[in-house]
Amino acid sequence: MKRKKENLSSGRKSLQYRGTKCLNCGHPLDRSDVYCPNCSQLNSDKQLSAKDFFGEFISSILVYDSRLRKTLKDLLFCPGKITRNYVEGQRLKYANPFRFFLSVSIIYFLATGLINFFTPNEEIVSRNSETKIGFNAMMDSISANTSRTISYADSINKEKPLKYYSDKELDAMPFTQSYKERFSLYNDFYEKHKIKNAGIALDSLHHRNTAVNRWVYSKNTTVEKISEDPTEFAQYLITKIPFFLFFFAPLFALFFWLIYSWKEYTYMEHMIFIFHIFSFIFLALLIAIIPDLLIGSKFFISCFFLFIGPFYFYKALRNFYQQSRVLTLLKFVFLSTVFVIGLTFAATIFVVASVAIY
Ligand SMILES: [Zn+2]
């Protein structure tokens, strides 16, 4: 490949085109400099020909391509090796871990979105939701809760009038109770009058038209929107997962940092390890989708979550941190527990926060 690159740009590299000043950054250059030591642009004042231009373009693709190939190969087949090499200084060999994670997750969601779009039958929709790390279960419980509140509101409508509180009375209550009562009052009011405009509703309730009150009132429509179409909300949640993991990673890295601190890895290096693991998860899911789709079951996805995923995580820990089997196994159990509990906890907050801004 090196020779190919040489051929493509040999003309521009020749001595007759070398200058004494970098055309890109103005750094003083020697005639012997092939590249600028400051910004690494080629030292050449030759006018750009089509051949030069496309040559540069193709060689940049080839470099990117080889970087991508190395990243994929090491990430998929040598657990922990990529992080070890990267942390030890082999940066240019691999793609940037954060950018790579975002790219892979974006491709994953585009691919699942496409599959959902082209095969909108019941079975595949439910299968894909299950791959999405239990979010569907959470959605079900949310919509179950919503329908409960609505039927509760219905029974209120039939049996007794609104239980009215004034703004002052609500303010006097303890914080959580105040929010609960305010929400159920607004919910009852909404169920009864179906007024969508928060300003008008607050006015007829004789409540202050503040941003908080408008927000609490507007959640009525959100609840209705979600219970009418839970899948749409699930889709909305799912597109936010990469960003959610992005914010979850620093928290998770804290536990790595706690139990591996003596090994003198920096916090950032633990983060890189975690992002490599996350990237592997999305890559493996992406790979498992195709055979699962063909045989019409969740065999490969289940295999991944039950065997391949945990095994890979253990191997990556052992190869990257290089501790004994027993120690690695103990830390593997600890970190997996933290991962599951932490993810469940963070996901709950994430779902609640998503409802708040949906
Ligand atoms: Zn320069």
Side-chain angles (χ1 to χ4, degrees), residues 152-199:
Y152 172 67
D154 279 339
S155 65
I156 284 177
N157 279 347
K158 278 167 213 145
E159 283 151 27
K160 52 186 176 188
L162 286 178
K163 195 175 172 196
Y164 181 78
Y165 292 104
S166 72
D167 243 345
K168 258 196 194 125
E169 284 171 307
L170 286 168
D171 287 343
M173 290 175 191
F175 185 75
T176 43
Q177 197 197 347
S178 152
Y179 265 90
K180 217 184 105 215
E181 293 297 350
R182 193 182 286 279
F183 185 78
S184 69
L185 168 63
Y186 290 175
N187 193 28
D188 293 348
F189 180 83
Y190 178 74
E191 286 305 321
K192 205 166 174 179
H193 302 284
K194 289 284 170 202
I195 296 173
K196 280 211 164 113
N197 186 307

Side-chain angles (χ1 to χ4, degrees), residues 112-317:
T112 48
L114 266 175
I115 291 169
N116 277 344
F117 183 75
F118 285 111
T119 47
N121 66 61
E122 200 75 342
E123 198 210 331
I124 282 166
V125 168
S126 73
R127 167 157 24 116
N128 269 320
S129 326
E130 258 167 276
T131 26
K132 280 149 195 167
I133 329 171
F135 268 83
N136 218 38
M138 229 171 293
M139 277 314 307
D140 285 347
S141 74
I142 284 181
S143 54
N145 278 332
T146 351
S147 49
R148 212 175 306 142
T149 8
I150 287 168
S151 57
Y152 172 67
D154 279 339
S155 65
I156 284 177
N157 279 347
K158 278 167 213 145
E159 283 151 27
K160 52 186 176 188
L162 286 178
K163 195 175 172 196
Y164 181 78
Y165 292 104
S166 72
D167 243 345
K168 258 196 194 125
E169 284 171 307
L170 286 168
D171 287 343
M173 290 175 191
F175 185 75
T176 43
Q177 197 197 347
S178 152
Y179 265 90
K180 217 184 105 215
E181 293 297 350
R182 193 182 286 279
F183 185 78
S184 69
L185 168 63
Y186 290 175
N187 193 28
D188 293 348
F189 180 83
Y190 178 74
E191 286 305 321
K192 205 166 174 179
H193 302 284
K194 289 284 170 202
I195 296 173
K196 280 211 164 113
N197 186 307
I200 297 170
L202 288 171
D203 203 45
S204 39
L205 278 162
H206 299 290
H207 277 196
R208 281 173 310 226
N209 191 346
T210 61
V212 177
N213 286 357
R214 278 198 306 272
W215 177 82
V216 175
Y217 191 83
S218 70
K219 285 305 106 186
N220 282 311
T221 36
T222 307
V223 164
E224 200 175 61
K225 220 160 79 189
I226 294 173
S227 59
E228 269 168 14
D229 193 354
T231 22
E232 195 179 310
F233 180 64
Q235 296 280 333
Y236 167 82
L237 275 186
I238 284 154
T239 54
K240 301 277 176 293
I241 289 177
F243 302 99
F244 161 69
L245 286 179
F246 225 90
F247 291 110
F248 176 68
L251 190 88
F252 195 35
L254 211 62
F255 288 91
F256 280 75
W257 185 71
L258 276 175
I259 62 167
Y260 281 112
S261 59
W262 63 274
K263 262 281 199 177
E264 287 173 12
Y265 282 107
T266 66
Y267 182 74
M268 213 49 218
E269 286 164 348
H270 295 302
M271 285 272 276
I272 291 170
F273 179 80
I274 290 168
F275 274 102
H276 279 147
I277 298 286
F278 283 173
S279 305
F280 171 77
I281 293 176
F282 279 113
L283 266 181
L285 288 178
L286 204 54
I287 293 169
I289 284 178
I290 299 154
D292 268 352
L293 203 65
L294 288 178
I295 60 172
S297 82
K298 331 172 246 214
F299 176 76
F300 288 95
I301 289 281
S302 319
C303 269
F304 174 74
F305 278 111
L306 287 176
F307 308 108
I308 302 165
F311 178 73
Y312 183 93
F313 186 45
Y314 166 80
K315 279 305 248 186
L317 282 177

